[in-house]
Amino acid sequence: MATNENVTIFNSAFLAVEYVDSLLPENPLQESFKNAWNYMLDNYTKFQIATWGSLIVHEAIYFLFSLPGFLFQFIPYMRRFKIQKDKPETWEGQWKCFKVLLFNHFFIQLPLICGTYYFTEYFNIPYDWERMPRWYLLLARCFGCAVIEDTWHYFLHRLLHHKRIYKYIHKIHHEFQAPFGMEAEYAHPLETLILGTGFFIGIVLLCDHVVLLWAWVTIRLLETIDVHSGYDIPLNPLNLIPFYAGSRHHDFHHMNFVGNYASTFTWWDRIFGTDSHFIAYMEKMKKTEEKTE
């Protein structure tokens, strides 16, 4: 009975979203996007699209999203939004981070990306424009991927903080006590594989078109670079997402080394009480601000 009610609710929600979508004006960029997509299909093989296309998307999105945070250090006005003001970025640290990133991206992640084509072939994942999902279905699947990744990340990340293994793997990521956007994927190769597995679980379970691979990697990179940015920017639209952790939540993890283990949402930390130090810290900061006013 409950199952039938849940199905009815989901069907009603789906119909409501479809109705809203029908009322929206036609996307003026859709025809251009369609032509570009079909041009790609006509001029490149599936292997080239799945492999080199995915690599280009990852590298372009990663460094594009990291650029604002990099520029903020040169803008005096933006310093007021930096969370750990006493720990500015250094050229030495950023250069070291960049070199490790290049190694991880091309010697760890690229071999994994090379398997994308074989994954799409094995599961008959379509590439064509005609079977590309509507935007709201794409967003729903990306949300599902985020929930799955966040769950995996919480428990495996917490395990990596165990005192017997922390110094061998995860300690590298914590070399920067005050994180910055580009540092999001600065990690031991084993950590890249362990925590990165959570990214692929959602793809295996939910992927119905190759475009989901690129949509999900875009959303995941946007999120992880934001929480590592080291800046709490007012009116950040990501903070409108219910239960979104945000930069302060993860910045405290780097500052305190324990607690706040989730990647995207706050519910696992709240359920297991691993955000207790963070809550106490925020209450203390609030009282301090009230006294200074």
Side-chain angles (χ1 to χ4, degrees):
M1 188 69 176
T3 302
N4 291 334
E5 290 179 357
N6 290 336
V7 171
T8 301
I9 292 172
F10 281 117
N11 286 338
S12 299
F14 178 76
L15 291 173
V17 173
E18 273 198 326
Y19 175 71
V20 171
D21 181 55
S22 68
L23 298 178
L24 295 175
E26 185 176 341
N27 184 352
L29 299 177
Q30 181 168 328
E31 192 63 29
S32 298
F33 181 56
K34 178 181 178 180
N35 292 335
W37 189 269
N38 286 329
Y39 176 86
M40 178 183 70
L41 294 178
D42 292 338
N43 290 274
Y44 300 96
T45 65
K46 286 184 177 182
F47 179 83
Q48 290 173 323
I49 294 170
T51 305
W52 304 118
S54 297
L55 177 66
I56 291 170
V57 168
H58 181 276
E59 295 306 298
I61 294 296
Y62 190 88
F63 289 107
L64 180 64
F65 286 166
S66 298
L67 182 60
F70 174 77
L71 296 176
F72 286 167
Q73 64 185 309
F74 306 113
I75 305 174
Y77 177 80
M78 297 306 296
R79 290 173 190 165
R80 68 186 67 186
F81 304 122
K82 185 168 176 57
I83 299 170
Q84 298 187 55
K85 295 180 175 61
D86 59 330
K87 296 182 179 68
E89 300 90 336
T90 65
W91 283 107
E92 180 184 4
Q94 291 174 102
W95 176 240
K96 180 181 180 181
C97 175
F98 181 71
K99 289 187 292 184
V100 172
L101 283 177
L102 291 183
F103 177 84
N104 283 348
H105 286 185
F106 289 97
F107 291 95
I108 306 298
Q109 295 182 13
L110 179 56
L112 296 176
I113 290 173
C114 287
T116 303
Y117 165 74
Y118 302 99
F119 163 75
T120 60
E121 287 296 292
Y122 183 82
F123 288 100
N124 294 316
I125 305 298
Y127 288 65
D128 57 287
W129 175 267
E130 289 70 26
R131 284 182 285 179
M132 187 178 293
R134 297 288 295 171
W135 63 270
Y136 47 86
L137 295 175
L138 194 60
L139 280 180
R141 289 180 181 272
C142 284
F143 176 74
C145 288
V147 171
I148 293 169
E149 189 282 331
D150 182 69
T151 302
W152 176 272
H153 190 101
Y154 175 84
F155 291 103
L156 272 294
H157 183 197
R158 190 172 177 179
L159 177 63
L160 289 176
H161 271 270
H162 192 280
K163 60 183 180 180
R164 290 187 178 180
I165 59 175
Y166 172 78
K167 64 180 180 180
Y168 299 111
I169 301 176
H170 193 52
K171 185 178 179 179
I172 291 179
H173 184 67
H174 277 277
E175 285 181 14
F176 298 100
Q177 193 173 357
F180 49 91
M182 189 172 63
E183 188 251 354
E185 291 187 341
Y186 178 86
H188 189 285
L190 275 178
E191 179 174 340
T192 300
L193 294 173
I194 293 169
L195 296 185
T197 299
F199 173 88
F200 292 104
I201 294 174
I203 292 295
V204 171
L205 296 176
L206 301 174
C207 189
D208 61 346
H209 194 281
V210 71
V211 74
L212 178 67
L213 293 167
W214 295 353
W216 169 222
V217 75
T218 299
I219 290 175
R220 175 65 181 130
L221 289 179
L222 174 62
E223 176 276 325
T224 192
I225 290 170
D226 176 60
V227 301
H228 283 91
S229 67
Y231 289 84
D232 187 16
I233 308 297
L235 304 178
N236 183 344
L238 292 177
N239 291 331
L240 297 176
I241 301 172
F243 302 103
Y244 180 66
S247 56
R248 281 197 176 274
H249 188 270
H250 193 70
D251 200 278
F252 180 81
H253 173 77
H254 275 260
M255 182 176 66
N256 201 49
F257 295 107
V258 295
N260 291 8
Y261 298 111
S263 61
T264 306
F265 304 109
T266 57
W267 48 60
W268 287 118
D269 282 298
R270 183 58 52 87
I271 290 170
F272 290 100
T274 46
D275 60 354
S276 58
H277 292 289
F278 173 66
I279 293 172
Y281 172 79
M282 292 302 294
E283 289 177 352
K284 181 180 178 181
M285 293 297 293
K286 185 178 180 181
K287 290 178 181 179
T288 303
E289 290 176 0
E290 289 174 350
K291 289 180 180 179
T292 57
E293 289 179 356

